[in-house]
Each structure stands twice: as C-alpha cells, then as structure tokens.
Amino acid sequence: MGTRILLIGCGKMGGALLHGWRADPSLGPFVTVEPGDGDAEFRGLAGVACVKRAADIPAAFAPDAIVVATKPQTMGEALPPYRTLAANALMLSIAAGRKLAFLESHLGAVAAIRAMPNTPAAIGRGISICVANARATPAHRDLATKLMAAVGEVGWVADEDLIDAVTAVSGSGPAYVFLLAETLAAAGVKAGLPAELAMRLARATVAGAGELLHRSPESAEQLRKNVTSPKGTTQAALDVLMAEDGLAPLLEKAVRAARDRGRELAG
C-alpha cells in the first residue's frame, strides 16, 4: 500500500491530479468524494473508490493526504465532515482565495498547505506554487510537492500574501495568453486575412512560441531579440507594443487588478 489519498472534488483540476497520481505506483489507494459526475471516468478502476458524500467514505480508510479541490464558495460547508480525518493527514487545498487560516478555522489544528495550480495542469504542463502553515513538516512539504508535480512544475513561497500575485500571473495567466491568440487573429482579419487562416496562424504561433520558450535555455528577452531584425517588420510592431502606453503598462494594470480582486475574495 502506498500513500493513501482522499480527493474532495473531482472536477477538471481534481481529475487531472488523479490521472497523474495513478501513474505513480507509490501513490494510492484513492477515495474521491464527488456529488456530481466529475468522477465518472474513474468509477470501477482498481484502487479508486468513488463516493458521493463524506459519510460514504469506507470506515477503514485513513488518508495520508486530503486534497481539497472543491469550488471556493462551497468549502465552508464541505470541510467540517472531514475534521476527524484531517487530524492525522496533510490537508492540501487547491481552492483559490481560501487562506490557510480558513482551513484551520473549519478543521482545527491541522497540517495545511495551499497550492495555486493553473489550467495547463490538464495536460501535465501546469505550474503550482505552494505555501505551508506552521504545522506542516518537511515531510508534509515533500508530499505536497510530489502530489502537485503530477501535473507540472512546483514552487514554494514563505509568505502567503504572495499567493494573490501568483494567482494574478500564473493562475489567471493562461486566459491572458488565450486572449492574445484571439486578438492576434482579429488583427490578422483586419489586415486582410480570412478568419480561419488568421486563427490558425495565431493559434500555431502562440503555441509554438510557448513551446520554444519552454524548451530554450535562453531568456524570454533574448528569444524576442532573436526574432527582431533592426528596422524590420517585427521591430515596427514592437515599437508599438513596447511604447510607454503599450503592452507593459496594460499588463501591469491587469495583473494588479487580478491580485487585488484575489485579496478581496479572500477577505
């Protein structure tokens, strides 16, 4: 028997995590608590027990880690039934906006860790930033790293207040990139391209550039310079995007707005 994991909520992110965990023979068995149909693809699989509510968890199941992947707005009513189990397990929450103190207020003196993943976790290319409370031991941190590494990179911060900025950059960031593809395609249409071709070009360009950034040892700045010939077409476009009123101040404003909204939601 490996590390026993209780997954509360088996939606897109919870399901992505469970897919990754099942590929690691040192993890499992698993129990999922999902009132809807998010766990449908896991029902009947060896090592996975799917139940609808906390009361249906097998009595003999004592989890080493409880991973909370419910919607933030439902956590207040979802957590109390797990108070007894949480006393002897790592509590790992991936719910945005709910602080460690929130977990402690509903579960008592528990070892708790928050992780902020992002949607590329669905294809194993996410990044998660974690923060731990004072009761989390080095072993708990190692386990959290292992669990989140199932869907991508993992990093840590010591200051929980930084999680709001992390959310604004990486948590919300995929939406900014998708918007870039949308607006680049729209600009291509206005420049005379057929809509289908413009979107195909934008999609492949954004995806390809992202993969190059992922694989290359060079910095984003250097990769940009590599594409830019002096007085060429790219430079003409960058003169607009890098102007004082260009992309940098706009993105700074957007990230600040996302960070501040995260703080408001956290109370």
Side-chain angles (χ1 to χ4, degrees):
M1 181 178 291
T3 302
R4 296 158 297 192
I5 301 172
L6 173 60
L7 176 63
I8 306 172
C10 195
K12 290 183 179 179
M13 190 63 70
L17 284 166
L18 185 51
H19 271 297
W21 298 337
R22 293 189 67 249
D24 186 337
S26 71
L27 298 177
F30 311 96
V31 172
T32 69
V33 181
E34 171 55 57
D37 294 323
D39 60 354
E41 63 181 302
F42 301 105
R43 295 172 193 166
L45 295 182
V48 182
C50 300
V51 301
K52 293 294 184 184
R53 56 196 183 117
D56 298 328
I57 296 172
F61 187 73
D64 299 298
I66 301 174
V67 181
V68 185
T70 62
K71 289 181 170 58
Q73 58 268 33
T74 67
M75 282 183 66
E77 60 187 50
L79 288 178
Y82 303 97
R83 191 180 182 99
T84 300
L85 288 175
N88 298 304
L90 165 65
M91 288 300 304
L92 175 59
S93 171
I94 64 170
R98 293 303 190 185
K99 292 190 172 184
L100 293 168
F102 181 89
L103 296 175
E104 294 165 349
S105 70
H106 287 81
L107 298 169
V110 295
I113 291 175
R114 283 181 66 193
M116 183 64 238
N118 60 3
T119 55
I123 58 169
R125 289 286 300 276
I127 184 167
S128 303
I129 301 300
C130 305
V131 63
N133 72 356
R135 295 181 183 85
T137 66
H140 288 135
R141 291 168 63 98
D142 288 345
L143 177 54
T145 296
K146 183 176 185 177
L147 294 177
M148 298 312 299
V151 292
E153 297 181 38
V154 182
W156 287 83
V157 293
D159 183 356
E160 187 176 10
D161 287 342
L162 292 178
I163 293 294
D164 292 317
V166 168
T167 302
V169 174
S170 62
S172 302
Y176 313 156
V177 177
F178 301 147
L179 178 60
L180 172 62
E182 284 183 70
T183 55
L184 184 57
V189 170
K190 289 186 177 181
L193 291 173
E196 184 178 352
L197 177 58
M199 178 50 74
R200 180 183 177 188
L201 290 171
R203 189 180 187 117
T205 299
V206 170
E211 187 63 19
L212 179 59
L213 182 61
H214 174 69
R215 296 189 187 188
S216 176
E218 296 184 310
S219 67
E221 178 184 10
Q222 186 57 52
L223 289 171
R224 169 179 58 78
K225 290 179 178 178
N226 292 347
V227 183
T228 309
S229 300
K231 299 183 180 180
T233 58
T234 305
Q235 185 62 61
L238 290 177
D239 286 343
V240 176
L241 293 174
M242 297 177 72
E244 288 187 3
D245 60 347
L247 181 60
L250 185 63
L251 199 52
E252 180 182 343
K253 182 179 178 181
V255 168
R256 185 168 59 248
R259 181 204 62 188
D260 293 348
R261 181 55 178 158
R263 290 174 176 173
E264 290 173 4
L265 293 173

